[in-house]
Amino acid sequence: MWYYAATVSISSVEGGAKVKWNKITGATSYKIYRKYKSSDSWKHIKTVSGSTFTYTDASCKALGTVYYTVRAYGAEGSS
């Protein structure tokens, strides 16, 4: 089952790009994915706990547009 983080915002901060999302009821973890071109495949960069709603991507390249998506996962481990 997929859960979706409906609101994701990205901001440039010292040390990288800050990704922020809203809480999804029932989520036990979130996986953050990144890509540099719309035609690229998503690359999983971090898994955080269900009580975390921000992540600073210090490894992002400053090459213009960077795409992020956040997927929420429930207790059964399925996405």
Side-chain angles (χ1 to χ4, degrees), residues 25-67:
T25 301
T28 58
S29 66
Y30 297 93
K31 290 187 179 184
I32 300 114
Y33 297 82
R34 175 187 65 213
K35 63 183 179 176
Y36 291 105
K37 297 178 185 175
S38 60
S39 60
D40 287 348
S41 296
W42 289 106
K43 178 183 176 189
H44 174 248
I45 57 171
K46 185 73 175 180
T47 300
V48 297
S49 75
S51 61
T52 301
F53 311 110
T54 64
Y55 171 69
T56 299
D57 182 8
S59 66
C60 114
K61 299 175 189 172
L63 300 173
T65 302
V66 180
Y67 301 88

